[in-house]
Amino acid sequence: MRLIATDLDGTLLDSTSSVSPRTRAALDAARARGIHVVPVTARQPIGLRTIAADAAFAGWALCSNGAYAVHLTDGRMLFAEELPAETIRTLAEALRASIPGLLFASVRDAGETFVAEHGYAEIADLTDHKRDPKTMGGVPLDEVVSAPSLKFVIRHPELAPPVLYDALRALDLDGFEATLSGAPFLEVMAEGVTKASGLARLCMHLGIDRGDVIAFGDALNDVEMLRWAGLGVAMGGADDIVQDAADETTSSNDDDGVARVIERILAID
């Protein structure tokens, strides 16, 4: 094992969005042996900063479901894959025609800029994007879709994200990747972008073979990563599609599932 790739919410973090002492100890033990520990998340850097101290994240992170790699200490960007503005506009117009009341937002500028449509902030919560909704502002849809996006967010005040996901797939459009992370919205990235694609690029940069990677996840957006890694580990209680993609299933995030696997592999008593 040379690299640990871990999802955060529902995986590394417990249900209070904290890193338990046991999990922190396991991560520290891995780092002490020269193993890279990489958060691979739908979050942006702003959402990583809230837990960086607890998890001791100081190196590379993959954000927006693998759309870009950023170094958490010096801010370097290794790569960034953006969804073209033309694709965003086509997608938004087609979806809005079939589902009234949709609201959209765009993540830009290495995850630091969040451009939300009028009305989005009113249905958002701090935990959704790790941003205070009061800071989101609100602009016309034309402005939201006017520039490339690292992640395009689609939300409805009443309809659940899986409903939006199925509706998008039914449109039979192409040129993008859509997924669900467990957040209250649908997430869209550039074509070909998944946590697996981002992890593959980072491992190439680090000179690490996929067979030396262990990956942990719990949601639909983790499936490709679990299949790609040398050892893919699903969290206890994850949906069947996630567990089927993994090589094994550990205990839940509230039962230190990630730590248990790392302890076993490193033979930690």
Side-chain angles (χ1 to χ4, degrees):
M1 179 170 62
R2 295 186 60 200
L3 187 147
I4 296 169
T6 179
D7 173 55
L8 298 180
D9 300 286
T11 300
L12 188 75
L13 306 181
D14 63 23
S15 56
T16 67
S17 295
S18 300
V19 179
S20 75
R22 181 176 180 177
T23 295
R24 171 61 187 269
L27 297 180
D28 287 345
R31 284 185 283 247
R33 300 190 190 192
I35 298 169
H36 296 272
V37 177
V38 179
V40 186
T41 177
R43 294 187 184 208
Q44 313 308 319
I46 189 173
L48 284 168
R49 295 181 195 122
T50 62
I51 63 163
D54 289 343
F57 291 143
W60 290 107
L62 290 166
C63 298
S64 276
N65 297 311
Y68 64 103
V70 61
H71 198 281
L72 296 175
T73 299
D74 59 28
R76 281 178 294 154
M77 293 281 289
L78 182 62
F79 63 83
E81 294 287 343
E82 294 183 312
L83 189 64
E86 299 79 16
T87 303
I88 298 172
R89 183 179 295 277
T90 298
L91 186 159
E93 290 175 351
L95 257 184
R96 180 162 278 180
S98 62
I99 305 177
L102 287 172
L103 293 165
F104 303 91
S106 174
V107 176
R108 304 174 187 167
D109 304 324
E112 300 300 330
T113 301
F114 190 85
V115 183
E117 185 181 7
H118 288 302
Y120 189 96
E122 283 70 24
I123 63 169
D125 185 83
L126 176 63
T127 59
D128 296 345
H129 302 282
K130 314 306 179 281
R131 301 172 187 268
D132 185 343
K134 294 178 181 177
T135 69
M136 292 179 180
V139 299
L141 178 60
D142 280 348
E143 189 169 336
V144 177
V145 302
S146 65
S149 178
L150 291 166
K151 183 169 77 173
F152 189 54
V153 177
I154 304 169
R155 189 165 186 167
H156 193 277
E158 299 171 358
L159 299 178
V163 175
L164 306 182
Y165 180 75
D166 290 342
L168 179 56
R169 295 184 66 181
L171 293 175
D172 199 27
L173 299 173
D174 57 20
F176 58 86
E177 299 293 334
T179 194
L180 301 170
S181 68
F185 42 77
L186 176 61
E187 303 170 46
V188 182
M189 286 68 59
E191 187 172 19
V193 167
T194 65
K195 289 188 176 184
S197 69
L199 188 54
R201 292 184 68 168
L202 178 59
C203 285
M204 182 178 296
H205 171 73
L206 296 173
I208 294 175
D209 185 85
R210 64 190 289 183
D212 296 324
V213 175
I214 178 171
F216 296 90
D218 74 300
L220 182 64
N221 64 334
D222 298 312
V223 165
E224 293 87 355
M225 177 175 72
L226 297 181
R227 290 173 177 158
W228 182 87
L231 178 63
V233 182
M235 305 306 293
D239 288 344
D240 288 345
I241 188 173
V242 181
Q243 296 193 42
D244 290 345
D247 298 294
E248 64 178 81
T249 297
T250 185
S251 55
S252 73
N253 59 317
D254 282 324
D255 193 28
D256 293 301
V258 171
R260 290 175 184 274
V261 176
I262 295 173
E263 290 166 355
R264 185 191 78 216
I265 293 175
L266 297 183
I268 298 172
D269 294 330

